[in-house]
Amino acid sequence: SKGAPGYQMISGPIAPLQRSENGFDPSKNRAQTHYDAIMKEARSVLNKLTMTNFPKLSDQLAHMEIQDTEELRGLVSIIFDKALEEGHFCTMYAQLCNDIKDRMPEFQDEADPALGETKVRKVTFKRCLLNKCQEEFERADRYDEMNDEETAGLDAAAKANKTRRVRVRMLGNVKFIGEL
């Protein structure tokens, strides 16, 4: 029969499709826990964030159903990483943090007698963000002494790339702290 040049029409039985080992499975992308769902929603909102849709998306973030300290810390971590990775949007992420900090839920952190703590502490968005900034800032000392274990087996270009990424992150943190 007539078809496109170079193609033959198949006549006769066709073998059924076989499922491959690495075939697309939409259930793999579904969030398994509430934490996963919150983190996925937060990433989705932050990926769309621009100054033109800022009020709407910051409201969306502020009204997320954060249920515990782990979810709050996860949200702070995502925002913090985005701010450091995308240094040119640092001001916008700092503005976002200032906008939602008082609208996020607060939690009580149990005192840990093993650490000599007796007082129950409040866990707030602002406290989590300050802790994250401080941890990253203190990690800068360790970046300067990139040990041989971290760079073992890397060629000169890979070492230079790793060093560049570390410096960009350090500068991003300083800039983000300044914007906050």
Side-chain angles (χ1 to χ4, degrees):
S1 73
K2 295 179 184 174
Y7 294 98
Q8 292 181 339
M9 296 296 285
I10 298 176
S11 59
I14 299 173
L17 294 176
Q18 300 294 316
R19 183 173 291 277
S20 70
E21 292 175 24
N22 63 348
F24 176 71
D25 184 5
S27 66
K28 288 180 184 174
N29 284 347
R30 283 197 197 109
Q32 302 298 318
T33 63
H34 188 266
Y35 176 84
D36 294 339
I38 290 291
M39 297 306 110
K40 185 174 181 179
E41 182 184 349
R43 279 188 194 92
S44 173
V45 169
L46 290 173
N47 284 339
K48 298 174 205 158
L49 189 64
T50 64
M51 288 312 289
T52 53
N53 61 10
F54 184 88
K56 181 181 133 194
L57 293 181
S58 71
D59 256 7
Q60 212 173 325
L61 271 178
H63 290 97
M64 288 176 61
E65 294 180 31
I66 306 290
Q67 295 179 344
D68 57 29
T69 57
E70 182 185 7
E71 291 175 2
L72 186 63
R73 287 184 179 121
L75 175 64
V76 166
S77 198
I78 289 172
I79 294 171
F80 184 76
D81 287 340
K82 292 282 275 180
L84 298 196
E85 291 166 9
E86 302 171 11
H88 47 287
F89 292 125
C90 206
T91 304
M92 180 179 66
Y93 288 115
Q95 188 177 344
L96 174 71
C97 291
N98 283 321
D99 191 47
I100 67 173
K101 73 177 188 282
D102 297 325
R103 300 190 291 164
M104 298 304 286
E106 293 182 0
F107 299 98
Q108 299 297 321
D109 207 6
E110 296 301 316
D112 190 353
L115 296 174
E117 297 173 352
T118 54
K119 225 167 70 173
V120 175
R121 292 176 293 166
K122 273 199 302 189
V123 178
T124 63
F125 180 86
K126 190 175 179 179
R127 173 61 40 206
C128 291
L129 186 60
L130 286 171
N131 289 344
K132 193 79 173 152
C133 289
Q134 184 177 355
E135 287 168 17
E136 186 73 21
F137 192 78
E138 289 171 353
R139 190 180 300 164
D141 294 338
R142 286 179 259 148
Y143 286 151
D144 290 339
E145 306 155 0
M146 280 178 62
N147 57 19
D148 295 333
E149 295 169 16
E150 291 179 24
T151 56
L154 297 177
D155 62 354
K159 283 181 186 178
N161 189 29
K162 186 173 178 91
T163 303
R164 186 189 63 74
R165 283 197 326 259
V166 163
R167 288 210 170 112
V168 164
R169 194 166 169 88
M170 282 177 10
L171 289 172
N173 188 37
V174 171
K175 184 176 179 184
F176 187 58
I177 290 170
E179 291 291 343
L180 287 171

